Amino acid sequence: MSSEQRVDELRARAQEALSTLRGMCQDEDVIGAKALVEALRNERDYELMGQLAEAVSRSDPKDAKNRRLYAQYLIDTGKATAAIDVLQPLARRLPKDQPEYAEATGLRGRAYKQIFFDAGDKTTPGAREALKAAIAAYRGPYERDPRSTWHGVNLVALLTRARALGMRTAPGLDPQAIAAQVVDTLQKTPESERDEWFLPTLAEASLGLRDWEVIDLNIQQYVAARDAKAFQIASTLRQFTQVWDLENRDERGRALVDMLRARLLRLKNGIERARSVASIRHAVEGRRIGTGFLVEARDFGVQPDDQMLVLTNFHVVNGHGASQGLKPEDAQVVFEAVDPGRTYAVSEIVWSSPVDRYDASLLQLGEPATGIAPLPIAATLPVLEDTACVYIIGHPGGRDLAFSFQDNELLDHEGPPAGQPQIPGVCRVHYRAPTEGGSSGSPVFNSRLWQVIALHHKGGKIGMSKLNGKSGTYAANEGIAIQSIVAAVKAGRG
Amino acid sequence: MAHVTFIHGISNKPPAADLLRIWREALANAADPLPLGDLGVTSDLVYWADLFYEKPDTNLSAYEGVLENTPEAVDASGGATPPQPRSDEEAEFLEGLRRRLTVMTDGEIAAAPDAVPPSPQGALERIPLPWFLKKPIMNVFLRDVHHYLFDVDFAPPGRTRVPIRQTIRERFVAALRSPQVSRPHIVISHSMGTVIAYDCLKRVAECPGVDGLITLGSPLGLDEVQDKLRPEWTRDDGFPHERVAGGWTNIFDRLDPVCGFDPVFANDYRRAGAAAVEDVAVQNEGTWRHSITKYLRQPAVCRAIRKMLGVSGAA
């Protein structure tokens, strides 16, 4: 199920719960609805979350967690003062040693923080009062329990901002010392107890240390984490821009913010695209030989045009097992991001072209790959601008599916307007990317639209001759432009 | 292939290459992303901030940030001083343009730096920014528009004066003639850049033609500006059909003070007496609604560009 389908299903369940709660409902209906409120929060569907939290509150007005989530909905939909009105009585009635007390108090801090950041002029008395109140709200739970790193990290951020504004709030508190304490607490947390907020909190607390090496390291770890959620990245992004004002600090700060933005984008698109990327394995040994990806026959002018095909390199699969490739009967295709246990046989090679030409084979599968979308094909190669870059998804070194995101500069290509193809009809693309043997046959994507621009076919740790008549060599990878492969297939050219 | 020529607006700017990257990034990061490079669309920028400012602004982050707390972030950098009129006509022009922005006198502004005065209000009074930011916006806008429309000889300290309009016209024409250009070719202009683009496309004989024009946050609706574009401009034949083969889409935010209270062009730039400009209202977020990156991130802007370039949406 795609993430979009999951969200649609969640919304449908929430709507169903809403109508159940409006009628005669059982205790378990309310319990189920409470879980949905939190799930909707994680998907940032605040409107529906608010409606459901309101319905739950009517059935179980004393549920502290639901009231707190209701307040979060209010904050995230621009009603921070109403959130404070919900949170104040909630905190008053909760015993101070209950975790929900700390959560409710911290969220009150978040509401005041929002009021501060919504103020156009941060120097007005109203804005300063809100900042003061936010600091006080985070301070209490943190001082009661320094292990409460969420409160601690907010305290660091807001104190730093208050000091930058020349405010003398909480003069006894030193944000740098608190940051060190938070980092220390986090680092002492045993791996088994680290929750999903561990990395984002560590990354943000590092900002308070002002040690850029540590900051860079922690943030890179955070953005590289496989299980980071869009909700978390968006929250960190908001904190870094609105609270720390990182973009306006300097180039380094801006680069960190860019990393988070890019990660958000990748989370949305890259994960979807990865589902259509397969490992090509040796059918008997199970060894991963290379990579391939699902395409629609229509895009290549192959009949029947609604069938799905797999594109890979000639040197991964070809009719005679030449160039160290597998014969079709020896190969199997596995879409590992969808179902690592499901293997597809190769029934036929629809078209292929040798290594010194397009280095490509279009494979027909033994049975249709259902529920997997074909990858979109770019109509054109990207413009060669200094910021142009590419992404690759494949199985480097025959290992698990991996994304290649870093340092993926698009170096050159033989496409229009200035390209001069050396092999007639074949348009090569050069880019920097950490690829290895098993990456052969990987899709190379343009960086914003996530459309396939090329079929990766060789990497160059050693010198790769430059394109377009330029002299010399460089470290580069080479792919074959997808549109030149499309043209060759349509023309029946090998 | 297709090509976009951008032209920037008032106040100092980052170096040309950085500014071009910032504009492209804003489109690529829009809600409805339009990554020109990925779509094979080449782009270039007509840069003219160097004619007014000694050196470019290297604080790039201010132009991309979310906060509106510095002159750079609100198109007010560079410390422009109010232009001095050389004739009654110029004095009348400047006074008229100033009235579009504010009803307050310099004395009132100095006396109430942070207050938002009661109505009646000018365009600037409507913006909840302190006057220490609004005053440089006013100065830079008046100066840049005045110096262009009256072709004032000007140079930043230490450089030789050049006729502003003539020099910028030459740069615009050169950009449109660049060998990099392919068709369809459109111009995307912002702020004072819309006046320059219009002036060249309507009034400069040697200017090459383009396939479309997009104006963002434009002061071309102001009577004072239109008067200075005569005789080529008339209300009934204001559309630059001489050099714009396709459409003209004008996008504005009603709270953008540079558009004043005249953001709609269909009536002012007719083609053979009939409305020809497509006016589109958008709502930029935050306090400073004139920001180019906010305009470029608007889905309506991306849609208009896509339509003119004939490129499809995201995958």
Side-chain angles (χ1 to χ4, degrees):
Chain A
M1 196 188 294
S2 72
S3 59
E4 233 166 63
Q5 284 169 319
R6 269 197 300 276
V7 174
D8 285 347
E9 194 194 285
L10 172 64
R11 287 184 185 136
R13 284 169 57 209
Q15 292 289 1
E16 202 180 313
L18 263 177
S19 58
T20 310
L21 293 190
R22 281 190 195 116
M24 295 284 285
C25 66
Q26 311 288 323
D27 284 354
E28 55 265 34
D29 295 326
V30 180
I31 293 167
K34 286 176 185 173
L36 289 173
V37 172
E38 199 164 11
L40 288 166
R41 191 275 313 267
N42 289 344
E43 291 301 335
R44 304 170 76 192
D45 188 340
Y46 297 119
E47 280 308 325
L48 195 50
M49 171 197 176
Q51 285 178 40
L52 198 55
E54 170 68 32
V56 170
S57 281
R58 292 181 192 188
S59 297
D60 185 0
K62 292 215 176 305
D63 186 298
K65 184 176 179 184
N66 184 63
R67 292 303 283 168
R68 195 237 308 157
L69 287 169
Y70 193 27
Q72 183 166 358
Y73 145 75
L74 290 169
I75 297 170
D76 283 311
T77 50
K79 306 168 190 99
T81 58
I84 292 166
D85 288 346
V86 170
L87 291 164
Q88 250 157 355
L90 177 62
R92 265 201 298 272
R93 75 176 163 84
L94 288 168
K96 288 190 174 164
D97 56 355
Q98 228 192 59
E100 268 305 326
Y101 171 82
E103 292 289 320
T105 312
L107 197 58
R108 192 154 50 87
R110 161 92 204 281
Y112 280 118
K113 187 169 77 175
Q114 199 61 46
I115 293 170
F116 170 72
F117 290 112
D118 287 346
D121 182 353
K122 306 287 185 263
T123 58
T124 59
R128 295 163 79 100
E129 276 308 310
L131 181 55
K132 233 164 94 177
I135 289 171
Y138 285 118
R139 181 181 184 171
Y142 181 69
E143 287 187 337
R144 246 184 305 282
D145 181 5
R147 287 169 306 171
S148 176
T149 51
W150 170 54
H151 300 91
V153 80
N154 274 290
L155 194 55
V156 172
L158 295 173
L159 279 171
T160 307
R161 192 64 193 270
R163 300 283 185 266
L165 286 169
M167 288 169 60
R168 292 176 51 78
T169 309
L173 294 182
D174 173 10
Q176 210 165 337
I178 300 171
Q181 198 177 16
V182 172
V183 169
D184 188 52
T185 307
L186 286 166
Q187 281 167 341
K188 282 183 183 151
T189 311
E191 289 237 2
S192 56
E193 289 173 27
R194 293 177 179 180
D195 66 9
E196 58 188 2
W197 289 101
F198 175 80
L199 282 175
T201 313
L202 182 62
E204 191 177 348
S206 317
L207 289 177
L209 297 177
R210 298 180 199 167
D211 179 338
W212 283 98
E213 279 187 26
V214 178
I215 295 169
D216 264 353
L217 183 74
N218 285 338
I219 290 174
Q220 277 183 25
Q221 263 184 5
Y222 172 36
V223 297
R226 294 180 72 141
D227 54 353
K229 293 188 177 73
F231 165 70
Q232 292 175 304
I233 302 268
S235 152
T236 309
L237 190 58
R238 188 177 55 228
Q239 193 81 353
F240 279 23
T241 50
Q242 296 188 355
V243 185
W244 290 93
D245 196 14
L246 269 193
E247 284 180 293
N248 289 326
R249 183 184 284 196
D250 56 19
E251 279 293 302
R252 225 167 162 169
R254 204 160 57 80
L256 293 178
V257 171
D258 283 348
M259 274 164 61
L260 288 169
R261 285 219 174 92
R263 176 72 165 123
L264 249 190
L265 189 82
R266 282 177 231 153
L267 274 171
K268 271 169 58 191
N269 297 318
I271 290 169
E272 273 307 300
R273 297 292 191 257
R275 293 169 46 83
S276 312
V277 178
S279 62
I280 310 285
R281 301 186 190 182
H282 193 290
V284 178
E285 297 166 15
R287 200 160 40 92
R288 295 185 183 112
I289 305 295
T291 304
F293 54 97
L294 204 65
V295 294
E296 195 164 18
R298 182 178 290 117
D299 287 334
F300 292 79
V302 173
Q303 293 297 327
D305 64 4
D306 59 348
Q307 67 175 319
M308 300 295 160
L309 303 170
V310 166
L311 183 63
T312 186
N313 287 138
F314 182 92
H315 77 263
V316 175
V317 181
N318 62 72
H320 305 289
S323 305
Q324 296 179 320
L326 296 172
K327 289 181 189 170
E329 57 269 30
D330 293 335
Q332 64 179 200
V333 176
V334 183
F335 294 93
E336 299 196 10
V338 180
D339 183 355
R342 172 106 192 252
T343 60
Y344 294 86
V346 177
S347 61
E348 193 190 329
I349 294 184
V350 175
W351 171 89
S352 72
S353 169
V355 175
D356 57 353
R357 298 277 300 156
Y358 297 93
D359 191 9
S361 292
L362 258 181
L363 317 177
Q364 192 177 55
L365 301 179
E367 53 186 317
T370 48
I372 307 174
L375 288 180
I377 303 294
T380 175
L381 285 169
V383 174
L384 289 164
E385 297 160 349
D386 51 1
T387 52
C389 63
V390 299
Y391 294 145
I392 298 170
I393 301 178
H395 290 273
R399 294 189 300 273
D400 285 346
L401 196 62
F403 294 75
S404 164
F405 286 141
Q406 261 118 45
D407 188 29
N408 290 353
E409 189 188 350
L410 177 64
L411 296 169
D412 203 357
H413 62 64
E414 296 177 324
Q420 302 158 21
Q422 297 297 299
I423 309 164
V426 179
C427 174
R428 291 175 295 172
V429 183
H430 279 183
Y431 40 90
R432 263 191 246 286
T435 58
E436 293 174 52
S439 304
S440 288
S442 295
V444 182
F445 296 94
N446 52 27
S447 64
R448 301 288 188 169
L449 298 175
W450 282 90
Q451 299 165 324
V452 178
I453 60 158
L455 169 69
H456 174 75
H457 87 125
K458 68 177 174 185
K461 281 181 183 161
I462 49 165
M464 173 85 74
S465 295
K466 293 183 179 177
L467 297 176
N468 298 316
K470 293 169 193 151
S471 61
T473 61
Y474 50 18
N477 293 277
E478 188 170 281
I480 307 296
I482 196 82
Q483 282 301 341
S484 74
I485 296 175
V486 167
V489 179
K490 284 183 175 170
R493 218 171 39 226
Chain B
M1 299 293 278
H3 187 77
V4 172
T5 300
F6 294 112
I7 178 162
H8 70 77
I10 57 169
S11 106
N12 198 10
K13 298 288 176 231
D18 292 305
L19 189 61
L20 177 58
R21 182 186 55 74
I22 290 169
W23 284 43
R24 281 183 190 142
E25 284 289 302
L27 284 173
N29 290 327
D32 175 17
L34 184 61
L36 294 179
D38 276 5
L39 292 163
V41 178
T42 53
S43 50
D44 198 4
L45 174 87
V46 179
Y47 189 81
W48 51 274
D50 59 313
L51 299 177
F52 284 92
Y53 302 95
E54 212 172 344
K55 51 187 177 200
D57 200 324
T58 51
N59 179 13
L60 304 189
S61 53
Y63 294 85
E64 298 172 275
V66 292
L67 302 174
E68 288 147 344
N69 53 2
T70 61
E72 290 79 8
V74 294
D75 297 305
S77 64
T81 51
Q84 293 307 309
R86 298 167 302 183
S87 65
D88 289 349
E89 186 197 355
E90 290 188 18
E92 197 185 329
F93 169 82
L94 285 168
E95 187 44 39
L97 212 53
R98 191 185 187 285
R99 272 200 304 271
R100 299 286 186 166
L101 296 171
T102 178
V103 295
M104 292 169 75
T105 63
D106 283 345
E108 283 171 329
I109 292 170
D114 290 326
V116 177
S119 57
Q121 297 183 349
L124 277 176
E125 275 89 325
R126 285 184 167 193
I127 318 167
L129 281 176
W131 270 101
F132 83 85
L133 290 176
K134 286 197 268 197
K135 197 161 180 190
I137 294 169
M138 184 168 73
N139 289 344
V140 78
F141 176 62
L142 294 180
R143 185 191 65 176
D144 290 3
V145 176
H146 168 265
H147 284 16
Y148 184 83
L149 289 176
F150 289 89
D151 202 12
V152 173
D153 280 350
F154 185 81
R159 288 208 229 127
T160 313
R161 286 167 176 262
V162 294
I164 289 295
R165 184 174 64 199
Q166 187 192 321
T167 311
I168 300 178
R169 276 180 171 180
E170 284 165 7
R171 290 188 185 183
F172 188 86
V173 169
L176 264 55
R177 281 195 183 138
S178 158
Q180 197 193 357
V181 167
S182 57
R183 306 308 279 255
H185 175 199
I186 68 167
V187 171
I188 300 175
S189 55
H190 175 233
S191 179
M192 177 61 205
T194 66
V195 177
I196 298 165
Y198 178 83
D199 172 55
C200 294
L201 292 167
K202 183 73 180 173
R203 307 170 76 207
V204 176
E206 60 271 29
C207 181
V210 296
D211 299 298
L213 171 64
I214 290 176
T215 49
L216 307 169
S218 171
L220 280 167
L222 303 177
D223 292 344
E224 291 77 9
V225 174
Q226 290 166 4
D227 282 347
K228 295 290 162 286
L229 298 169
R230 291 177 195 275
E232 292 83 355
W233 174 84
T234 63
R235 192 154 276 121
D236 276 343
D237 187 30
F239 193 95
H241 53 82
E242 295 85 349
R243 289 165 204 90
V244 179
W248 172 0
T249 302
N250 172 52
I251 297 169
F252 62 92
D253 181 320
R254 287 192 187 279
L255 293 179
D256 175 349
V258 172
C259 307
F261 297 121
D262 295 300
V264 175
F265 295 174
N267 262 342
D268 290 342
Y269 293 85
R270 295 183 198 173
R271 183 178 191 142
V277 180
E278 186 187 4
D279 291 297
V280 181
V282 295
Q283 267 193 302
N284 292 327
E285 84 281 12
T287 302
W288 184 238
R289 304 294 187 92
H290 185 60
S291 156
I292 181 59
T293 50
K294 291 181 185 175
Y295 272 114
L296 292 173
R297 289 191 184 109
Q298 286 286 351
V301 173
C302 295
R303 267 197 305 276
I305 299 171
R306 270 204 182 92
K307 196 171 149 197
M308 285 187 186
L309 293 175
V311 295
S312 60

